[in-house]
Amino acid sequence: MAVLTCHPAHPPALVRSVEFRIIGFDANWLRARWKIVGCGKLSVPPFAGKGRADGLWQTTCFELFLQSPDGPAYTEINLSPSERWNVYDFTQRREGMSERPMPREPECTMRLGSDMAIFDAAIPAGGLPAPPWRYGATAVIEEEGGVKSYWALSHTGDAPDFHDPACFLEEVAAPSPA
């Protein structure tokens, strides 16, 4: 489990913590979970049906950045509680962006309780770059009144920047057999 930290320039209203963990990785799926504690004012985008979409970071969404230890290229996975998603490849930090082909759509589920929310995602492993990776797990959390907080493993600048390679802190090895 990794505890994400909120960027100090964008404090949340009620959210007290965001945690991330990879709950499974095999030849078919990378399964990830984000847990939000203090979700009483969480704004969840309405169901929009599966499909690619841009700009998911403009409201509550969950992101995962994967980077090979061999170079500056990385993959960004954006997942929304609306069930919209997108996956991008970058040749280096914020440059050379292109949509990454995926063999099928990710599966996403959001469960809301009175104080805790869980967002689970299953990402098709066949559409991901070959491991091993360093990863950065992030979340944009919007609460009532348009309050947005930006959560990551690390923050290095005056403004949130999830693309900063200094935020790709955790490592993932090759998947287990299916």
Side-chain angles (χ1 to χ4, degrees), residues 67-107:
Q67 184 179 44
S68 166
D70 300 339
Y74 61 95
T75 299
E76 175 186 359
I77 302 163
N78 293 179
L79 305 160
S80 171
S82 72
E83 293 198 24
R84 295 292 178 158
W85 61 276
N86 218 330
V87 180
Y88 306 99
D89 283 328
F90 290 83
T91 56
Q92 57 187 341
R93 186 175 178 177
R94 294 192 175 272
E95 292 186 21
M97 184 176 107
S98 62
E99 278 191 357
R100 183 177 186 86
M102 294 297 287
R104 62 188 296 190
E105 296 186 300
E107 303 284 334

Side-chain angles (χ1 to χ4, degrees), residues 20-145:
F20 172 81
R21 74 177 52 202
I22 292 176
I23 56 176
F25 185 29
D26 62 30
N28 298 313
W29 298 99
L30 172 67
R31 297 182 190 281
R33 172 172 289 162
W34 287 259
K35 177 175 131 182
I36 302 115
V37 176
C39 68
K41 291 188 174 190
L42 184 65
S43 293
V44 178
F47 175 74
K50 291 181 189 236
R52 285 189 185 259
D54 293 319
L56 298 175
W57 55 269
Q58 294 176 16
T59 186
T60 298
C61 80
F62 303 89
E63 300 178 354
L64 188 59
F65 293 79
L66 308 174
Q67 184 179 44
S68 166
D70 300 339
Y74 61 95
T75 299
E76 175 186 359
I77 302 163
N78 293 179
L79 305 160
S80 171
S82 72
E83 293 198 24
R84 295 292 178 158
W85 61 276
N86 218 330
V87 180
Y88 306 99
D89 283 328
F90 290 83
T91 56
Q92 57 187 341
R93 186 175 178 177
R94 294 192 175 272
E95 292 186 21
M97 184 176 107
S98 62
E99 278 191 357
R100 183 177 186 86
M102 294 297 287
R104 62 188 296 190
E105 296 186 300
E107 303 284 334
C108 300
T109 305
M110 183 92 178
R111 292 173 293 177
L112 289 167
S114 60
D115 190 52
M116 183 177 70
I118 301 287
F119 181 79
D120 283 332
I123 304 151
L128 300 177
W133 315 302
R134 288 181 317 134
Y135 74 80
T138 66
V140 175
I141 304 295
E142 183 173 0
E143 296 176 88
E144 292 173 10

Side-chain angles (χ1 to χ4, degrees), residues 147-163:
V147 174
K148 289 184 190 171
S149 54
Y150 301 86
W151 300 77
L153 293 170
S154 174
H155 297 283
T156 58
D158 293 337
D161 183 2
F162 295 161
H163 293 256

